[in-house]
Amino acid sequence: MVDFESTNEYAKKLDKQDSLAKYREEFYIQEDGIYLDGNSLGLLSKRAEKSLLDLLDSWKKYGIDGWTSGDHPWFYLSEKLGEQMAPIVGANANEVIVSGSTTVNLHQLVSTFYKPENHKTKILADELNFPSDIYALKSQLKLKGYDPNEHLVEVRSDDGHTLNEADIIAAMTDDIALIVLPGVLYRSGQVLDMKRLTKEAHKRNILIGFDLCHSIGSITHELSAWDVDFAFWCNYKHLNGGPGGTGGLYVNQRHFGTEPGLAGWFSSRKDKQFDMNHELAAADDSGAYQIGTPNIFSMAPIIGALEMFNEVGMDNIREKSLKLTNYFMELIKAELDGFGLNIRNPIEDHKRGGHIYLEHPEAARICKALKADGVIPDFRTPNGIRLAPVALYNTYEDVWQAVQILKSIMKEEKYKKFENKRGVVA
Ligand SMILES: Cc1ncc(COP(=O)(O)O)c(C=O)c1O
């Protein structure tokens, strides 16, 4: 930052210059806290609340006819939200569907696209991947009769925090059939070069998909232009779609017509679904990868949440997010030197996602002390503190205050009052 100053006035000045500042009012901000956990569970916005209440009302008003009546007929909601979500991931409208959950969608996509043949039988992932993805990949391998110990290849990390794209490319050997990687790593927040990795995978005749849980709503994507084969994500983190809210998936239009590995009646063409035939006439786009009846009330808040994202635009959101995390790192350097807190997220803009990741041996209890003093962080085992200043509702002053509070916790060793052990949900 050119004119950086470590003062409260400077934070206020940045807030005054912020063109997205007005969106904070649209959220329910906890009065006595600084919420820096939007990368785990985004806050409720008034628009998301309204769309949830609107759909409750449509149930009240229409009963069964809610499937086809009202402003948001439930029968078409997954497709409609998919269309509206497509610009956020840089896809064509019919390549995205709002359905299922991250893990369920991963099972669906691997069931559909993992087709071991001859010597090409292995799946490539990485050792820093989110456990649920690894569990799903292992169970998919077992279902096909393969031993995960031999058939799941996990690229190693040199530093325990980040991955080297060159190492991933070197692991794309002849025996790999499918690759599943994160777009942004859940701990360090590293952005992987999805364009480069896709190009390299395709050169070797390997299909590639990405887990976008930590990248959707945080960074920009060009899934179609990069020619990514498939992707999947949740909508409850940066997209503020509500706890356990419905997830999403993307399938490149090149693959339309590929039979869904896990079929159900919602995989059907809409006009054929109620013919009740035992032969599935699958939708000819990403809709084919839905399974059963959608959870309407878990999708409803996404209507309002997405409206806001499309109004603001991902470029503007990413620009502010980078400014906030840059400012955060400047303050950490200026205010927290000597306390053993190490920044482990990538420093370069193009490699940094939407959160800061600090490492400290006492991380679990530092997080407890932060919470006690009104800052909501996220502890990640073994010793990580994730702090996400969110473009739509956090201020520069939030970041300034959070750093001051962290400084007092470190200086006065307030964390020593707590046990250095994670909670059940950490
Ligand atoms: C990166 C990543 N992948 C997968 C999951 C699992 O998501 P779900 O429980 O919605 O299936 C999560 C959940 O937080 C996640 O952060």
Side-chain angles (χ1 to χ4, degrees), residues 257-409:
T258 306
E259 190 183 345
L262 302 177
W265 75 318
F266 270 76
S267 316
S268 176
R269 273 174 50 172
K270 292 283 185 218
D271 58 336
K272 296 276 180 196
Q273 185 168 339
F274 277 84
D275 286 352
M276 299 307 205
N277 279 330
H278 281 196
E279 283 307 314
L280 168 68
D284 55 9
D285 55 17
S286 62
Y289 307 100
Q290 298 172 82
I291 303 176
T293 306
N295 305 126
I296 297 301
F297 298 136
S298 298
M299 278 204 284
I302 303 172
I303 301 171
L306 270 187
E307 190 187 289
M308 210 181 304
F309 270 79
N310 285 326
E311 185 177 298
V312 181
M314 268 319 298
D315 286 337
N316 292 327
I317 288 172
R318 175 65 168 156
E319 192 190 332
K320 179 171 171 194
S321 163
L322 282 173
K323 282 187 189 160
L324 280 167
T325 47
N326 251 319
Y327 174 60
F328 215 142
M329 290 190 296
E330 292 286 359
L331 279 178
I332 290 166
K333 277 187 265 167
E335 300 283 323
L336 296 170
D337 194 32
F339 294 121
L341 288 157
N342 294 312
I343 298 178
R344 294 297 189 198
N345 53 273
I347 305 299
E348 306 96 304
D349 280 3
H350 71 284
K351 289 193 177 169
R352 193 173 74 251
H355 66 262
I356 296 297
Y357 187 68
L358 294 176
E359 199 182 33
H360 193 284
E362 312 283 354
R365 53 180 170 172
I366 293 172
C367 283
K368 288 178 189 169
L370 279 168
K371 268 195 168 172
D373 281 358
V375 178
I376 315 298
D378 208 25
F379 170 71
R380 278 295 170 266
T381 195
N383 50 16
I385 305 168
R386 290 194 311 192
L387 299 160
V390 172
L392 285 180
Y393 53 78
N394 282 120
T395 60
Y396 292 89
E397 204 174 0
D398 280 347
V399 175
W400 160 260
Q401 279 172 0
V403 170
Q404 295 310 308
I405 291 168
L406 181 53
K407 189 174 172 180
S408 80
I409 287 169

Side-chain angles (χ1 to χ4, degrees), residues 30-50:
Q30 295 167 333
E31 268 175 22
D32 51 355
I34 300 172
Y35 195 78
L36 297 178
D37 207 2
N39 60 331
S40 220
L41 177 68
L43 291 181
L44 173 65
S45 66
K46 290 168 191 168
R47 294 197 216 190
E49 178 186 48
K50 179 176 181 306

Side-chain angles (χ1 to χ4, degrees), residues 101-103 130 133 211 213-214 236-237:
S101 68
T102 312
T103 312
F130 195 83
D133 292 17
D211 175 338
C213 281
H214 281 274
Y236 47 73
K237 300 181 193 291

